[in-house]
Amino acid sequence: MMTTRAKYSLGQVVRHRKHPFRGVIFDVDPQFNNTDEWYAAIPEESRPSKEQPFYHLLAENEQSYYVAYVSEQNLVADYSGEPVDHPDIPDLFGPFEDGAYPLHFQLN
């Protein structure tokens, strides 16, 4: 049985390593769990390994808000101390504090 430990946590603010967006992590898959079509759409030279955690983000860039699915290797922690303005954040998290968002609910 393979075990994977996620580097980032729920509510943490992160940035994409290569693209200009940041977001709040709201879910983590221990390894790739999206469609083959989604994976094939990534240029082969940029395609990440499927055997690593993938993160669901409430993401933002200068133009819009959206949900992103990003491999661990393509994320870095965001230490700017700036909140993320995604409109869905209040549905899942409490107010921004100490650089992160606390969950509204308890996990099992």
Side-chain angles (χ1 to χ4, degrees):
M1 179 175 163
M2 183 179 91
T3 59
T4 304
R5 185 180 247 2
K7 181 176 181 179
Y8 304 109
S9 58
L10 300 182
Q12 186 172 358
V13 178
V14 292
R15 292 185 174 278
H16 195 281
R17 190 177 295 277
K18 299 175 185 174
H19 301 291
F21 71 86
R22 58 199 292 266
V24 179
I25 297 169
F26 71 90
D27 197 9
V28 182
D29 294 332
Q31 60 186 19
F32 180 79
N33 190 22
N34 206 332
T35 65
D36 290 334
E37 292 79 16
W38 184 92
Y39 191 73
I42 300 169
E44 193 170 343
E45 65 278 0
S46 300
R47 218 173 275 159
S49 165
K50 291 182 176 183
E51 283 72 41
Q52 63 180 310
F54 276 73
Y55 298 82
H56 300 262
L57 308 178
L58 295 176
E60 67 180 14
N61 61 27
E62 289 186 7
Q63 292 83 33
S64 65
Y65 302 107
Y66 52 97
V67 173
Y69 191 65
V70 185
S71 65
E72 187 169 274
Q73 76 185 52
N74 284 320
L75 291 176
V76 293
D78 181 300
Y79 297 113
S80 69
E82 295 294 320
V84 174
D85 295 324
H86 195 289
D88 293 338
I89 288 174
D91 294 340
L92 299 172
F93 300 101
F96 186 69
E97 57 186 47
D98 298 325
Y101 290 89
L103 289 170
H104 270 317
F105 53 87
Q106 293 295 319
L107 298 173
N108 291 333

